[in-house]
Amino acid sequence: MAPRNGKPQLTTSTAEVIEAPNDSDRERVFDLFRRWGYLQADLDPLGFLKPVAVPELEISGDLARQARSYYCGSIGVEFAHVADLERRRWIQERMESEPAAIDQDRALDLLTRAELFEHVLQQRYLGTKRFSLEGVTALIPLVDEILEGAGKRGAVELVMGMSHRGRLNVIVHVARRPAEEVFAGFEDVDPRSVLGSGDVKYHMGATGEYATRSGARIHIHLVSNPSHLEAVDPVTEGRTRAKQDRAGEDGKNKFLPLIVHGDAAFAGQGIWAETLNYADLRAYTVGGTVHVIANNLIGFTTVPGELQSSRFASDLAKRQAVPIFHVNGEDVDAVLRVAQLAIEYRYTFSSDVVIDLIGYRRHGHSEVDDPTITQPLLYKAIKDHPPLWQIYGEDLDVEDADARAAKIREELEAAQKNASGITKKPTLRDLPGYWNAYKGGRYRPEYAVHTGVSAEELEQVTERLTTYPADFHIHPKLKKLLEQRAEMGTGKRPVDFGMAEALAFGTLVKQGVRIRMSGQDSRRGTFNQRHSVLVDVKNEQEYIPLEHIADDQAPCEIYNSTLSEAGILGYEYGYSRDYPEALVLWEAQFGDFANVAQAVIDQFVSAGEDKWNLLSGVVLLLPHGYEGQGPEHSSARIERFLQLAARDNFQICQPSNAAQYFHLLRQQALRPWRKPLVVFTPKSMLRHPDASSPIEDFSRPDFLNVLPDHEISEARRILLSTGKIGHELRVERKKRKDSSTAIVFVEQLYPFPEAELSAEFERLGSTNEIVWVQEEPANMGALFYMLPRLRRIAGERSVLSVKRSASASPATGSAKAHEMEQKTLLTLAFSTTPTSSDH
Ligand SMILES: Cc1ncc(C[n+]2csc(CCOP(=O)(O)OP(=O)(O)O)c2C)c(N)n1
Ligand SMILES: [Mg+2]
C-alpha cells in the first residue's frame, strides 16, 4: 500500500548543543532552519502529515528554540531556492519578527458564513454535488486578507481562476453574488433555456464587487471553468494581461490574478507547469500571480503518496524563484499572516507566490461519494473533527459565536426560500443584434464589413513595411526580401502570403486595431515567411516595421512563445476574451501540434459560447498540407475542427491565396461580433506563384467563401477542394489540356457556404458530376463533412470523392511514396470513375 504522505522518514543524528553561541553561530543555526524548517512545521490539522526528521535540525539550546518557533510552527516557508538575496532577506526578516495585526472577528464571521453556507446546501439538497469547501474553509478569510492587501496597493480587480472545490462558496463570499442565485442553480428553475447547452453551476463564471475593511472596492471576476483541471490557469493569466494592457502603465498593480489549485491537480497537470513558465516572460507576464493550493491532501480517492513523487504537492513551483508558504489551514491567524506576506511579496517583487493551504476534505470527493470505502481511518478522524468556525470561536473565546451562527443560518435559509423566484438571465441567443446578424455562414447585409483597402493606402503601408533606419545594418537576405515586398505592394510583382499578412496587420494597426500574436518562432515565421522583426547584423538591435506604420497606430505585438501549445492557446484565448477589439492570434508551429492544445480547443474555443455565453475572436493559424514531410508535419486535422463545429460556434477556413488570407484576417478584426477563427495556413504555397495574388485583389470588397472557376462556363465535372490540392489540380488540368473540368475552391469550410456553392453549381450547368478531392486519408480531412452537405445541394448530379485510403496515421514517412500517392490522387480526380464510397 502506498504510504499516505509519500516520502520515507529520514534517520536522525544526536542533537548538537551550542553552549556559548556567538553571532556566526546564530546565522548558521538560523540558516539551517530557514532552509529546512518547513519539513518540521506543524502543517496538517489532522496530524497525518508528520514532520520529517532532519539531522541538521537536531540542535538544542535557545538559538535553535527561537529559530524553530519561527520556521517550524503553523507556517513552513520554502525559499532557499530563491537565489536573489534581497528576496530571501525580505522573507526571513518578516518570518523572524512579530506578525502584523489581523482582524480576527472578521475572519470568524467569514468562516462561520462559509461553513454554514455548506451546511444549508447539505441539508436542503442532499444527494446533489456541490464540492464543499469544508476542511479548507480558511480559503475565504485568506482571500479576504489578500484583497485587503491588494486594495491598499491599488488593485481594482481580482481575476480569479479556480476549479470545482469550494467554487460556490467563493461565488457567494468572494464574488459576493447573492446566495439566492446559487440556491436557484440547485433548484434548476429554467431547464428549457439551456437545452443542449449551458453548464453545471460549479463551472459558471461570476462577477461582483468586494468591499475591503479599509474601504477599497475591488471588482471580482471569477473565470468560467471547464472540468479539465488547471485548464483555466493560462486563460486566467491571458485575461489578466488583456485587462492590464488596456489599463496601461499601472495595469499590473490594478489587475491581480489569483489562481486556486487542487493539490492533486497542482502536482499532476502539465498545463499548469506550462503556465508557471510564463511568469517572467515579456510576452506573458502579469506582474506576479498569487497561487493558493486548496490542499486537502487527497485527489478524489487517491492519496499524496500516489499523486506525487515529492513530499508536497507544491514542489513544481520550485522550478522558479517562487516562495512557497505552507500553512496549517486550521491556524486561522497563521493563514491570515501568510496572506499578508504573500500579497506584499507579489507587489514588492512582481513575482508569483504560492500559498499551500493544508486542511482536509470533510465529505467524499463530491457529496454523493462515500470516502469511507477507500480511506476509512481518515474519514473516521474527520467525522469526529469539529468545524473550523467552532474551533476558532473557542480559540478566540467569543461568547456570542453560537448566536451569530444562528443569525447567519437564518439569513441563508431565507435566501434559500427566495431562490425559486429567480428566473434565468437571457442568453446571447435571446438578445437582438449581432448574434442574429450571423447565421448559417451568412450575415445580413447591414453587418457586412468591407475588408478591401485602396491601392494608395496599400502603397503607403508597403513603404512603411519595407523601410528601416539609415544606420540599420540589414541582413542581405532581408534586404532582398524587403525589396521584393516593396514591389509586391506597388503592383510590380504578385503578393505572397507573408506580405499579405504584413499588409493585413499594417492596415489594421493603422486603423487602430491592436494586434497580438504568439506562437513558436512566430517572429521570424517557421517557414521563413514572416520576418516581422529585423535584426541588425552588427549589434542585434531590433527594428520592427509594423511598429512604425503611423504615429497614432495601435500596438502590434508578435512574440515567440515558449515551447508549449495548450497553455499558450489558453492564454491567447483568455486575452481575446478581454480585448475583443484586438486581433489576437495563436500560431501552431505545424498544425499537427494543435492536438496538444485539444483540451483548450474543446473546452474553451469551441464550446465557450455554448456553455457560458462568452465570445472570443481568437484566431488559430494552423499550417497544413501534404508535402511529403511525414506523418507529423502534414495535417492540422481539419476533421477534428469540423466535428466540433455546430451552432455557428466558430469559423473554419483555408484561404487558397494571399489576398484571401488578407481579407480573412481583416474580416476577423473588423466585423462587429466575435467568433473564433480557425485558419489552415499554407507551407509550400506560402511563396508559390499560384497562391500569390495581384495587388488589385486586395482592394476587392471582401473575403470570398468560395472561389468560383472563372476559366470554365460549362463543366462536365466539378472538382471541389480546399487549399493546396486545388492548385495542383489546376496544374494537372493545364497539362491535360482539359477544358471540361471546373476546379472550385472551398475557402470557408464552416459555416458551410451553401448559397455560394449552389450558385456556382448552377452556373456550371446541370449535367455534371461533383467530385470532392482531398489530400487527406478517407477517415480524415473534410470528406465526412462535405459529402452529405454536397449531396443535399447537388440536385441530380452525382457526388463522388477522391482521397487517400483510410489510414491510422495522417501521412506516409517517405517523400517518394507521398509523390506517388499525390500523383494517383490527381489522376483519379480526372479519370472517369472516382470512388463513390466514403471510406
Ligand atoms: C484533466 C482532468 N483529469 C481528471 C479529472 C477528474 N477529476 C476531477 S476532480 C479530481 C481530483 C482532484 O483532486 P484535487 O486537485 O486535489 O482537488 P480536490 O477535488 O481535492 O479539491 C479528478 C481526478 C478532471 N476533472 N480533469
Ligand atoms: Mg485535493
Side-chain angles (χ1 to χ4, degrees), residues 363-514:
H363 307 277
H365 173 57
S366 77
E367 292 64 36
V368 297
D369 202 78
D370 181 358
T372 62
I373 295 168
T374 44
Q375 281 81 28
L377 298 184
L378 173 64
Y379 275 85
K380 193 169 177 306
I382 289 173
K383 195 160 174 278
D384 298 334
H385 196 76
L388 185 54
W389 72 270
Q390 278 176 6
I391 298 176
Y392 194 50
E394 274 169 31
D395 283 354
L396 297 189
D397 214 6
V398 177
E399 276 181 13
D400 62 345
D402 286 340
R404 279 205 240 178
K407 193 162 164 284
I408 291 170
R409 187 181 285 276
E410 250 169 51
E411 282 170 29
L412 287 164
E413 280 168 355
Q416 191 273 330
K417 288 205 183 79
N418 289 337
S420 48
I422 296 194
T423 50
K424 266 204 66 76
K425 282 178 250 163
T427 69
L428 270 187
R429 286 181 176 77
D430 304 324
L431 299 173
Y434 294 145
W435 168 261
N436 291 320
Y438 183 73
K439 277 230 162 93
R442 281 180 303 283
Y443 35 89
R444 293 210 302 266
E446 62 265 36
Y447 292 112
V449 282
H450 184 91
T451 53
V453 173
S454 71
E456 194 191 353
E457 178 96 8
L458 290 167
E459 272 190 36
Q460 278 172 15
V461 172
T462 298
E463 194 271 328
R464 302 308 307 141
L465 286 173
T466 53
T467 47
Y468 42 88
D471 58 354
F472 188 88
H473 308 99
I474 191 133
H475 192 288
K477 286 185 180 164
L478 288 188
K479 185 165 186 288
K480 187 152 173 256
L481 177 111
L482 294 182
E483 284 164 6
Q484 288 175 350
R485 286 190 174 177
E487 290 180 10
M488 293 178 192
T490 49
K492 297 188 188 86
R493 142 195 304 265
V495 184
D496 67 12
F497 266 80
M499 181 58 172
E501 184 187 86
L503 284 171
F505 289 175
T507 50
L508 283 170
V509 291
K510 198 163 177 229
Q511 279 173 265
V513 177
R514 185 181 193 117

Side-chain angles (χ1 to χ4, degrees), residues 164-165 227-229 262-265 269 294 296 298-300 365:
H164 54 291
R165 177 79 48 212
S227 247
H228 292 59
L229 295 168
D263 51 312
Q269 287 294 306
N296 48 22
I298 197 161
F300 211 147
H365 173 57

Side-chain angles (χ1 to χ4, degrees), residues 8-266:
Q9 308 282 295
L10 304 181
T11 51
T12 57
S13 66
T14 8
E16 183 185 351
V17 181
I18 296 174
E19 305 232 328
N22 57 32
D23 275 358
S24 75
D25 286 329
R26 184 182 190 280
E27 275 311 288
R28 188 168 62 82
V29 169
F30 267 63
D31 270 348
L32 285 170
F33 279 91
R34 286 164 192 155
R35 178 175 293 271
W36 302 117
Y38 71 94
L39 290 170
Q40 297 197 333
D42 171 22
L43 299 174
D44 179 0
L46 299 182
F48 285 90
L49 183 70
K50 300 260 184 293
V52 175
V54 183
E56 289 97 318
L57 298 186
E58 294 292 316
I59 310 169
S60 315
D62 286 349
L63 267 184
R65 201 168 305 118
Q66 194 186 23
R68 189 178 299 281
S69 73
Y70 293 143
Y71 289 103
C72 306
S74 297
I75 302 173
V77 54
E78 284 188 79
F79 67 122
H81 59 286
V82 178
D84 182 354
L85 184 61
E86 190 196 343
R87 295 184 189 201
R88 281 208 314 282
R89 284 219 171 112
W90 189 97
I91 292 170
Q92 70 197 37
E93 269 165 25
R94 279 156 186 76
M95 289 298 293
E96 293 164 27
S97 51
E98 279 298 301
I102 48 169
D103 187 339
Q104 292 176 317
D105 201 56
R106 181 168 168 115
L108 176 62
D109 184 66
L110 288 169
L111 274 178
T112 313
R113 285 177 187 281
E115 299 221 333
L116 291 182
F117 173 73
E118 300 286 358
H119 288 184
V120 171
L121 283 175
Q122 176 76 5
Q123 279 169 358
R124 298 287 156 159
Y125 306 104
L126 195 68
T128 315
K129 289 187 198 179
R130 68 173 194 281
F131 299 105
S132 162
L133 187 61
E134 290 156 281
V136 281
T137 332
L139 179 73
I140 301 294
L142 170 82
V143 176
D144 178 69
E145 198 62 40
I146 285 173
L147 286 167
E148 183 64 30
K152 285 186 189 147
R153 291 169 179 83
V156 299
E157 183 169 324
L158 183 79
V159 188
M160 192 166 173
M162 72 183 294
S163 58
H164 54 291
R165 177 79 48 212
R167 197 174 166 97
L168 299 177
N169 214 314
V170 164
I171 288 175
V172 174
H173 295 110
V174 177
R176 298 279 166 160
R177 301 309 308 169
E180 281 89 337
E181 284 182 14
V182 171
F183 291 125
F186 281 87
E187 301 284 334
D188 209 355
V189 286
D190 187 14
R192 281 184 180 280
S193 67
V194 287
L195 279 176
S197 63
D199 201 349
V200 292
K201 47 196 167 295
Y202 40 82
H203 287 167
M204 301 300 274
T207 55
E209 294 293 322
Y210 202 88
T212 68
R213 290 199 297 283
S214 48
R217 293 197 74 79
I218 300 182
H219 187 68
I220 308 290
H221 192 127
L222 179 65
V223 179
S224 302
N225 172 73
S227 247
H228 292 59
L229 295 168
E230 305 293 329
V232 77
D233 301 356
V235 177
T236 307
E237 304 288 9
R239 297 195 65 160
T240 308
R241 172 66 178 256
K243 289 168 193 277
Q244 292 179 343
D245 281 355
R246 188 190 291 288
E249 283 245 307
D250 205 24
K252 301 234 172 342
N253 288 335
K254 287 183 172 156
F255 294 90
L256 173 72
L258 169 72
I259 302 181
V260 181
H261 310 259
D263 51 312
F266 194 94

